[in-house]
Amino acid sequence: MLVDAGLACLARGGIQAFTIDNICREADASRGLITHHFGSKDGLLAAVYAAAYRPFLAEVSPEQGSGPDLPHLIEVAFSDALFSRDNLNIWLALWSEVAVNDQLRSEHRKHYALYKASVMTAIERQAKSQKKSVDAESLAISFIALVDGYWLEQHIDPVGLSAERAKAACRTMFEPILGSLSAT
């Protein structure tokens, strides 16, 4: 309930609204519960970061099977489930705090590594199916940066950049290197 309250506070007012008092009021909980369960406000913020990342990682990091394919990753990155004003507010708050908060930066690195590994797996699968040799890590980093930029731009101006246009741009980046992105 404290993590959900933290997400609600970030969605409503950004990092400035992520206060112990606001979180406790939102969760109808005592201040001591934050220290008891998370050690500190920063510990709770790290747990909130993990909770915000979790739905996306669940989609891009399947537990069973051979892993995701690139068409799936592109679809997930721009799915309606990830696009909301609340998500934009939450991620803008978290990203700005990552730059100045060591504990949150550590949490970010852990989740980014999982995301990058899933993308690398998808790239390697695609490259293997096309009998191509590629630098999967560099391509994964480029893809993640492209998705982050398109995701942000689509939130800022959904009329100027549609989800379909963002997906097409991602395919345009990969196809000259990896061939057609039909599901592998």
Side-chain angles (χ1 to χ4, degrees):
M1 71 181 168
L2 291 170
V3 169
D4 289 341
L7 287 166
C9 290
L10 289 174
R12 238 188 339 271
I15 201 68
Q16 296 80 10
F18 193 85
T19 67
I20 301 277
D21 288 338
N22 285 347
I23 293 162
C24 289
R25 192 171 21 263
E26 180 76 27
D28 193 26
S30 71
R31 296 172 66 87
L33 284 177
I34 292 174
T35 304
H36 176 74
H37 290 288
F38 302 100
S40 66
K41 183 174 125 179
D42 284 347
L44 175 58
L45 187 60
V48 166
Y49 188 92
Y53 228 119
R54 194 171 296 118
F56 184 68
L57 284 178
E59 286 291 326
V60 302
S61 304
E63 293 180 22
Q64 302 286 329
S66 58
D69 62 22
L70 283 176
H72 175 75
L73 288 178
I74 291 168
E75 288 297 319
V76 166
F78 300 102
S79 69
D80 289 340
L82 298 179
F83 278 88
S84 71
R85 177 58 60 181
D86 284 352
N87 272 348
L88 174 65
N89 292 345
I90 289 166
W91 282 109
L92 288 176
L94 291 170
W95 285 335
S96 68
E97 191 67 12
V98 165
V100 297
N101 182 314
D102 291 337
Q103 189 168 355
L104 192 58
R105 186 176 308 115
S106 176
E107 193 69 25
H108 164 75
R109 286 179 178 151
K110 182 170 47 175
H111 288 83
Y112 181 85
L114 293 170
Y115 179 20
K116 185 174 73 169
S118 288
V119 175
M120 287 173 59
T121 297
I123 289 168
E124 289 164 349
R125 285 182 64 218
Q126 180 71 23
K128 183 177 178 182
S129 76
Q130 299 292 318
K131 297 178 177 44
K132 296 185 181 260
S133 177
V134 299
D135 179 351
E137 183 174 21
S138 292
L139 282 173
I141 291 166
S142 296
F143 173 72
I144 293 168
L146 186 67
V147 166
D148 286 350
Y150 281 146
W151 189 83
L152 184 57
E153 183 60 33
Q154 191 179 5
H155 269 89
I156 292 169
D157 185 8
V159 173
L161 179 64
S162 69
E164 289 310 311
R165 180 66 189 114
K167 291 175 198 177
C170 289
R171 288 188 295 272
T172 297
M173 180 189 89
F174 279 122
E175 286 182 341
I177 302 164
L178 294 170
S180 176
L181 290 184
S182 59
T184 53

